[in-house]
């Protein structure tokens, strides 16, 4: 059984169909990629899974339980962690306090210092978050999501603003987190990160799932090349 499952999700914004009957599964112990061109519906699907958008149709299951009717906070308490495309950290708080605030939200939250150590942020624990460069701020946001002991972790373009070295290390971290048993779901335009870190990749285009499979197969899929990977940048 998949740890996270979205079944037949449909979302409309006015007359626009942002997602049409989309299925997504993510297994514990794996990094699952969700890719596709701008406007394909990736963030919208994350919003449905995390409870920020109520779909017109479809269901979301977390660890075998139907959470479709639960709000974002209740889903977070049941083990759904998330980061955002636009950084959503508390700029006026220190890096450590960003993690503490998150941990307090969970009755069994993880101590901040262990996470900071693991993410290589211990040296900036007392620094105000808004003075941390974007690349490392992405790690602060990851740390905040980890503080609530997630079973599933949704990451929306986490490598954006990271340099090549930071992204390389980030990919290793994702592999380690999956090895710990998390279901990691990665929305990302950095194809090197996706292809290196993901066990399985789903491809959305114009609100429809056009391919799913291991990275090697996705890289060679004609429909994916046509809609996304083969497009001139
Ligand atoms: N709140 C909203 N109101 C109206 N339309 C929206 C809203 N949010 C998203 N959309 C539309 O839904 C579609 C899917 O957008 P979404 O942000 O999910 O795509 P995406 O795949 O995450 O794109 P990107 O890679 O650029 O982040 C787009 O056509 C977008 O314009």
């Amino acid at each position: 059984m998949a740890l996270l499952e979205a079944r037949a999700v449909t979302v409309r914004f006015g007359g626009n169909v942002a997602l049409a009957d989309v299925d997504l599964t993510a297994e514990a112990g794996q990094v699952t990629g969700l890719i596709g061109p701008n406007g394909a519906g990736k963030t919208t699907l994350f919003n449905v899974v995390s409870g920020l958008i109520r779909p017109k149709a479809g269901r979301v299951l977390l660890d075998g339980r139907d959470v479709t009717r639960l709000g974002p906070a209740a889903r977070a308490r049941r083990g759904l962690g998330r980061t955002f495309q636009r950084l959503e950290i508390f700029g006026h708080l220190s890096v450590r306090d960003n993690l503490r605030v998150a941990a307090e939200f969970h009755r069994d939250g993880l101590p901040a210092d262990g996470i900071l150590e693991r993410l290589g942020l211990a040296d900036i624990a007392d620094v105000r978050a808004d003075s941390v460069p974007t690349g490392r701020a992405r790690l602060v946001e990851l740390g905040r999501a980890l503080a609530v002991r997630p079973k599933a972790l949704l990451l929306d373009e986490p490598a954006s603003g990271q340099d090549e070295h930071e992204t390389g290390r980030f990919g290793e971290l994702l592999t380690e987190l999956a090895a710990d048993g998390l279901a990691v779901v990665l929305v990302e335009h950095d194809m090197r990160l996706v292809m290196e870190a993901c066990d399985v990749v789903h491809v959305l285009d114009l609100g429809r799932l056009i391919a799913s499979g291991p990275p090697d197969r996705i890289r060679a899929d004609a429909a994916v090349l046509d809609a996304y990977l083969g497009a001139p940048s």
Side-chain angles (χ1 to χ4, degrees), residues 4-168:
L4 186 66
E5 207 177 332
R7 284 192 196 155
V9 170
T10 294
V11 172
R12 289 207 185 111
F13 294 113
N16 273 355
V17 179
L19 292 172
D21 204 23
V22 170
D23 294 319
L24 179 87
T25 56
E27 306 282 344
Q30 289 195 345
V31 181
T32 300
L34 179 62
I35 64 171
N38 292 329
K42 305 177 297 293
T43 297
T44 301
L45 187 54
F46 269 14
N47 286 340
V48 168
V49 170
S50 55
L52 294 174
I53 289 181
R54 197 162 282 253
K56 182 164 173 50
R59 295 165 63 196
V60 177
L61 287 94
L62 177 61
D63 211 5
R65 299 177 72 167
D66 191 326
V67 296
T68 315
R69 292 177 177 281
L70 298 183
R75 294 186 200 195
R77 286 198 190 89
R78 281 170 198 239
L80 191 67
R82 161 158 199 194
T83 69
F84 290 84
Q85 199 171 340
R86 281 177 56 184
L87 276 170
E88 301 262 348
I89 51 179
F90 298 121
H92 62 290
L93 296 182
S94 71
V95 167
R96 181 188 284 111
D97 283 346
N98 264 275
L99 271 63
R100 276 192 183 145
V101 167
E104 279 168 13
F105 174 77
H106 198 280
R107 67 182 115 72
D108 195 20
L110 281 177
D113 284 333
I115 300 175
L116 293 173
E117 198 68 50
R118 176 169 199 181
L119 300 183
L121 296 173
D123 60 313
I124 54 165
D126 297 312
V127 169
R128 260 179 73 126
D130 56 7
S131 63
V132 175
T134 308
R136 293 188 93 190
R138 292 274 172 207
L139 289 173
V140 177
E141 207 183 17
L142 173 64
R144 231 176 41 169
L146 291 175
V148 301
R149 288 186 195 269
K151 297 175 189 161
L153 189 57
L154 309 181
L155 304 174
D156 199 346
E157 297 193 30
S160 151
Q162 291 185 341
D163 64 28
E164 205 174 317
H165 174 75
E166 287 168 334
T167 303

Side-chain angles (χ1 to χ4, degrees), residues 24 31-35 184-187 194 198-203:
L24 179 87
V31 181
T32 300
L34 179 62
I35 64 171
V184 178
V185 189
L186 175 67
V187 163
V194 169
C198 293
D199 299 284
V200 61
V201 178
H202 301 280
V203 189

